[in-house]
Amino acid sequence: MAEFKRIFIVGATSAIAEHCARLWVQKAPVEITLIGRDQARLERVAQDLLVRGPQVRAHAVTADFLSADAIEKIVQDTVGDGAVDLVLIAHGILPDQQACQDDLGACRQALEITAVSPALFAEAFAKRMARAGTGTLGIISSVAGDRGRKSNYVYGAAKGLLTRYAQGMQHRFAGSGVKVVLIKPGPTDTPMTAKFKDQGTKLIPVEVAAAQIVSGMEKGSPVVYVTGIWQIIMLVIRHLPRFIFNKMDL
Amino acid sequence: MALVSSWGRLGHWEHEVLALTDREQAGGQISLRRPGLAYGLGRSYGDVCLNPGGWLWRTAALDRFISFDPNTGILVCEAGVLLRDIQRLFIPRSWMLPVTPGTLLVTVGGAIANDVHGKNHHVRGTFGEYVRRLTLVRTDGEIIECGPDLKADWFAATVGGLGLTGLILTAELQLHPTTGPWIDCETIPYYSLSDFFDLSSASEAGWEYTMSWFDCLRGDSGRGIFFRGNPAEAGTRPEPKTRERAVPLTPPCSLVNRLTLRLFNDLYFNVNKRRNRRGLVHYQPFFYPLDHLQEWNRIYGPRGFFQYQSVVPPEHSREAVQAMLGEISSSGEGSFLAVLKSFGDRPPAGMLSFPRAGVTLALDFPNRGEGTLKLFQRLDAIVAQAGGRLYPAKDARMPPALFRQGYPRLGEFSSYRDPGISSALARRLMES
């Protein structure tokens, strides 16, 4: 019997994560665990994957994403004693910057769900991957985390935290069988970015983003920029001198 | 507000856009955002998928499968699933869509709402004939499950109902068994319209797929290439590699003009004439020749283009098609892709389904303003006189009278409309 690859996705109802899952189930027999906050939506995703993949076992589980204990427990319960092949941590929200400036509660919530929670999930999975000495952990950060900008620095700071986190983990696992892949999609066509689409921003199709993430994780690339152009744009933005940067409306 | 256009790119219009992402929530979302209209991939040529000033409910993310039975070939899915994904996933499992249009970049909901047809209408009819159930959500919150044997009136109104009876949320489709991705295809050049009719009637009994390209610049003395094919027996041969290309930008004027058209038609005819033979062709280039060329609609330039697709009943089809081709060739306008095909005599699945017994002619025309519209008026007169009709999925300008004449069940259809749904086409042709 074919060996089932064990895949875990946190934030599995996010559009990018869902499209990655579709690609994984078509490639090989997989046992996929979908972790999210809404059981019914997770089950609809699982149902879809069961049709798409000829050999799929899918589990849909919910957890409290803001509780360290709950995160530890859900990872323990789902991983058990087995090895992990792939983990993708994909959750986060794109908050309204102005709302975060006006309301510290909203600001805190955005930081917790977009930065703290994914970091805790990453740590919990990393512990088990370190023990097994194998597996690939993908963390979805963002090009917005490369430099803080006035238009979205709450989101950018949260993603920046994940970027540093992933870099640290890469250092920790260097030379081992565990790979940590930092993923930086540019603006991708998902429900999260619908308002940008209306404003005429050119968005990356979600299927394209997913295909690059899946191939980047397969190769174990340290950093996956979803399109090369964003790597260049962010290189420029990161290195702009402050006196120029501060005059720009970004 | 976002600027949205349809495939013909005749203009861009302001819309409020809402992306639907979850089928359980879609009903609540649309009831708050009306008048609206479901918008899939926007591959309709004219204004059937537009609702300027109102809402568009994007369905592209409602693209989840729900179940599939490998023994019966029954597939249940959300309406935003692309026909492309169904073919890609299920042909390797020996099941395929029984009927598809000439592109796979169409959602299941769009295929139902326009009751699309393919190269096998004479054998299998339209897409709607293979829908066993569908779920319709109305903007007042009502959910209607219907099918050919359940609330059949709602079903007949919704299949081919141009998206006006409610939001099509899910569908249960009957797939067709297939032996594999290959088509046993024959390519036959012909030199007159009368040859087309002979080839067409001679091919219908023994060939599942028939269609023909016609040189629209040559009038009735013209020439064409007849394609016919049957599913090939299973064989193990490698899938061809297809490269996706895109038309990178919109040229400042249409690349389709008398000169390029003449050159293209000569080239296309002569290349295919030499192919006068039988061979195996992969289903993708056979059914969907333009799908690997993204954004090909840009070649018609910034003013966009119209498609004019008519069907005329068999008793008048020879004279009517001849007259239309005469008008087109003397106007010097026309398209690279001029398609002639005979429809079979099958009862339509929907009240407003386009296909009916007879011959259908489809051509693209660059938008040259007044001159193009005048040509359409002359073609309209021929279609009307022959008792034919135009295809709303492709239309952007037919007069209401021609629509009413071509679709006698329009009055009956009206009572099934959802008052929270409107479209540019509905306002143009149904006055609401």
Side-chain angles (χ1 to χ4, degrees), chain B residues 20-168:
Chain B
L20 304 177
T21 55
D22 189 87
R23 64 178 178 267
E24 298 295 319
Q25 290 169 11
Q29 289 180 298
I30 65 168
S31 66
L32 297 173
R33 294 166 178 87
R34 36 188 283 192
L37 178 70
Y39 181 92
L41 279 204
R43 290 298 171 122
S44 298
Y45 285 72
D47 55 3
V48 68
C49 63
L50 298 174
N51 184 27
W55 285 90
L56 286 181
W57 308 315
R58 284 181 68 199
T59 61
L62 286 181
D63 63 345
R64 289 176 198 94
F65 291 105
I66 297 169
S67 67
F68 176 65
D69 183 338
N71 299 313
T72 59
I74 293 173
L75 174 71
V76 185
C77 64
E78 294 178 353
V81 164
L82 293 188
L83 303 192
R84 180 194 67 189
D85 292 352
I86 297 178
Q87 296 289 63
R88 275 189 190 165
L89 275 173
F90 295 102
I91 287 180
R93 299 187 212 170
S94 301
W95 291 97
M96 69 187 293
L97 287 162
V99 169
T100 72
T103 173
L104 283 176
L105 299 171
V106 171
T107 61
V108 166
I112 295 171
N114 293 292
D115 197 17
V116 298
H117 59 272
K119 296 176 174 46
N120 56 355
H121 182 269
H122 59 286
V123 187
R124 310 237 175 262
T126 61
F127 193 90
E129 293 184 39
Y130 302 92
V131 180
R132 296 164 48 95
R133 279 283 179 278
L134 61 84
T135 316
L136 193 67
V137 184
R138 307 266 289 175
T139 55
D140 62 4
E142 191 188 359
I143 294 176
I144 299 173
E145 284 268 337
C146 60
D149 55 358
L150 174 74
K151 294 188 183 161
D153 55 334
W154 278 99
F155 185 72
T158 302
V159 170
L162 310 172
L164 299 173
T165 61
L167 173 74
I168 301 170

Side-chain angles (χ1 to χ4, degrees), chain B residues 139-425:
Chain B
T139 55
D140 62 4
E142 191 188 359
I143 294 176
I144 299 173
E145 284 268 337
C146 60
D149 55 358
L150 174 74
K151 294 188 183 161
D153 55 334
W154 278 99
F155 185 72
T158 302
V159 170
L162 310 172
L164 299 173
T165 61
L167 173 74
I168 301 170
L169 200 57
T170 64
E172 181 179 321
L173 308 176
Q174 176 66 61
L175 301 188
H176 186 70
T178 177
T179 48
W182 298 94
I183 306 286
D184 177 11
C185 169
E186 191 167 11
T187 310
I188 307 163
Y190 62 88
Y191 297 87
S192 73
L193 198 53
S194 158
D195 287 352
F196 162 78
F197 282 98
D198 294 346
L199 271 167
S200 187
S201 53
S203 303
E204 273 170 22
W207 297 83
E208 163 124 13
Y209 308 110
T210 63
M211 65 84 78
S212 152
W213 170 84
F214 197 84
D215 185 344
C216 59
L217 295 181
R218 301 233 169 182
D220 59 341
S221 62
R223 57 191 182 176
I225 306 284
F226 196 88
F227 301 94
R228 55 191 188 186
N230 276 322
E233 284 308 305
T236 47
R237 51 174 69 217
E239 297 259 326
K241 283 211 161 48
T242 48
R243 254 185 78 186
E244 299 252 319
R245 290 166 190 275
V247 175
L249 48 85
T250 308
C253 63
S254 171
L255 298 180
V256 182
N257 55 48
R258 275 164 218 245
L259 178 69
T260 57
L261 207 51
R262 203 162 284 281
L263 285 169
F264 173 85
N265 285 3
D266 280 345
L267 187 72
Y268 188 84
F269 182 78
N270 286 306
V271 166
N272 282 288
K273 187 173 74 178
R274 289 202 193 92
R275 280 210 191 130
N276 185 6
R277 62 188 160 85
R278 233 167 135 157
L280 284 187
V281 180
H282 192 259
Y283 80 91
Q284 280 180 358
F286 182 78
F287 289 132
Y288 321 110
L290 284 174
D291 273 4
H292 65 280
L293 184 66
Q294 292 167 34
E295 306 196 69
W296 62 260
N297 53 346
R298 289 175 165 179
I299 63 171
Y300 289 94
R303 298 179 70 186
F305 70 110
F306 293 93
Q307 181 163 103
Y308 192 93
Q309 182 164 4
S310 60
V311 58
V312 283
E315 58 274 23
H316 301 300
S317 50
R318 277 178 197 247
E319 311 86 87
V321 171
Q322 196 158 15
M324 283 194 277
L325 289 170
E327 286 290 352
I328 293 161
S329 77
S330 65
S331 77
E333 307 211 32
S335 69
F336 295 143
L337 281 174
V339 175
L340 266 177
K341 146 117 197 100
S342 297
F343 284 150
D345 190 4
R346 298 172 71 94
M351 293 176 188
L352 302 185
S353 291
F354 166 68
R356 51 153 301 161
V359 171
T360 181
L361 170 65
L363 289 127
D364 295 339
F365 294 91
N367 174 19
R368 281 196 251 273
E370 221 26 53
T372 315
L373 294 173
K374 285 231 166 83
L375 168 66
F376 292 154
Q377 284 170 10
R378 297 197 291 275
L379 299 179
D380 287 350
I382 298 167
V383 172
Q385 203 182 354
R389 60 191 178 207
L390 301 187
Y391 193 2
K394 309 278 183 81
D395 180 62
R397 41 62 55 196
M398 77 166 115
L402 183 59
F403 186 59
R404 283 194 299 271
Q405 185 198 322
Y407 294 89
R409 295 182 73 183
L410 186 58
E412 186 189 348
F413 170 79
S414 307
S415 57
Y416 295 94
R417 281 193 57 183
D418 184 325
I421 294 183
S422 186
S423 70
L425 179 135

Side-chain angles (χ1 to χ4, degrees), chain A residues 18-19 22 26 41 44-45 47-48 51-54 189 191 197-198, chain B residues 1-2 17 21-24 58 63-68 89-90 93:
Chain A
E18 188 176 354
H19 279 86
R22 290 179 182 183
Q26 282 168 52
R41 282 185 65 196
R44 287 193 277 282
V45 174
Q47 212 174 27
D48 172 70
V51 175
R52 283 176 194 269
D189 191 358
K197 192 182 179 84
D198 292 356
Chain B
M1 295 290 256
V17 180
T21 55
D22 189 87
R23 64 178 178 267
E24 298 295 319
R58 284 181 68 199
D63 63 345
R64 289 176 198 94
F65 291 105
I66 297 169
S67 67
F68 176 65
L89 275 173
F90 295 102
R93 299 187 212 170

Side-chain angles (χ1 to χ4, degrees), chain A residues 52-63:
Chain A
R52 283 176 194 269
Q55 288 196 73
V56 183
R57 296 180 195 143
H59 316 284
V61 284
T62 50

Side-chain angles (χ1 to χ4, degrees), chain A residues 195-203, chain B residues 2:
Chain A
K195 65 180 175 188
F196 298 125
K197 192 182 179 84
D198 292 356
Q199 291 157 8
T201 308
K202 184 95 178 153
L203 300 173

